[in-house]
Amino acid sequence: MTQNTYYTQEAHGPFERIGIGALELEDGGTLPDCQFAVATHGTLNAARDNAILVPTWYSGTSKIMEQAYIGPGRALDPSKYFIIVVNQIGNGLSTSPHDAAGELAGPGFPKVRIGDDVRAQHRLVTEHYGLRELALVVGGSMGAQQTYEWAVRYPEMVRRAAPIAGTAKNTEHDFLFAQTLADAITSDPGFQDGRYASPADVAAGLKRHAQLWTVMGWSTEFFRAGRHKALGFDSLQAFVDNFMTGYFAPMDPNALLAMAWKWQRGDVSRHTGGDLAAALGRIQAKTFVMPISHDMFFPPADCQAEQRLIPGSEFRPLACIDGHLGLFGTDPQFLAQVDAHLAELLALPA
């Protein structure tokens, strides 16, 4: 495997690589030297009670979280909070297929679950940062899956939780969605069962992957309203080629597949013998469930059904015709809604 120059400090930094030791995995196998790429903003206070954890979503890194959600005057304000943005395992910056050693490299990378990430993150925040509580865990999409896992697995530690555009248990419909994304990559002859030399060898598969994301990640209303043109693209083809394909083309296919497998199997009811109500009933955090109105991956109805199982939670839908990929921060009004809800949540005693 050749080194992928996309996953660099220049493109996604600044971040620090922090080792947490060997991580035994739910589905078997071990990451002998699990490394997290972590970006922090702000300062931990003397009481050590102002820490916010932000896990990343599919394909995303700590950089997009910083650019879209963190800053002075925002809900996630580094002058008030110590914000830890942790890149999920397999996303290209943390331990991933392209930089794993020996037989774990490339297609040999083991199956990692959402629960593995969260157990590893728990080790990171307790042992490396010395934290015993988190003022907030907040994330979008796969970041929401990790948020739910945190709130169910470590209820005494999570004071507030804000899952945005994601579910606690992935639906069969969404499982199939994600499978088409994976199949678009693996069906490219250049993929060679994961033994390609560079992402360029899988260009056709990555383009199909990007096209599927264009169809499902945005919404029909997004295109009807000409939002792709408002973002600076004079045609749908230009949007697909320059924005969507341009986004995915340099990414490592094995990393995308590792994340997709994990996404498909997100399910907090593993902790309670398949009883989702019992699992969500464990949550002690003050929780705002925040779906996006036009999301085709995690529609509001799926999110509300789960929200009703969480004690003391509130349903806070976000109006945005951009759909799931409104998470990118393409709509200032969407970001304003997120900030308003998070500021309210952070102001609540918990």
Side-chain angles (χ1 to χ4, degrees), residues 140-172:
S141 194
M142 285 188 75
Q145 292 180 309
Q146 292 165 77
T147 298
Y148 276 120
E149 183 78 19
W150 259 103
V152 170
R153 188 183 279 268
Y154 303 110
E156 73 292 340
M157 191 169 175
V158 181
R159 297 287 179 255
R160 300 168 190 83
I164 304 172
T167 53
K169 179 178 181 176
N170 205 31
T171 65
E172 289 183 325

Side-chain angles (χ1 to χ4, degrees), residues 10 19 85 99 123 157 198 269 281 295 308:
E10 290 73 25
V85 189
D99 67 1
R123 195 184 302 175
M157 191 169 175
S198 82
S269 74
D295 192 332
R308 289 171 173 153

Side-chain angles (χ1 to χ4, degrees), residues 25 29 39 55 76 129 131 185 230 268 272 274 279 299 306 325 341:
L25 302 172
L76 303 184
Y129 293 109
L131 300 175
I185 292 172
V268 298
T272 50
E306 293 181 340
L325 293 183
H341 291 311

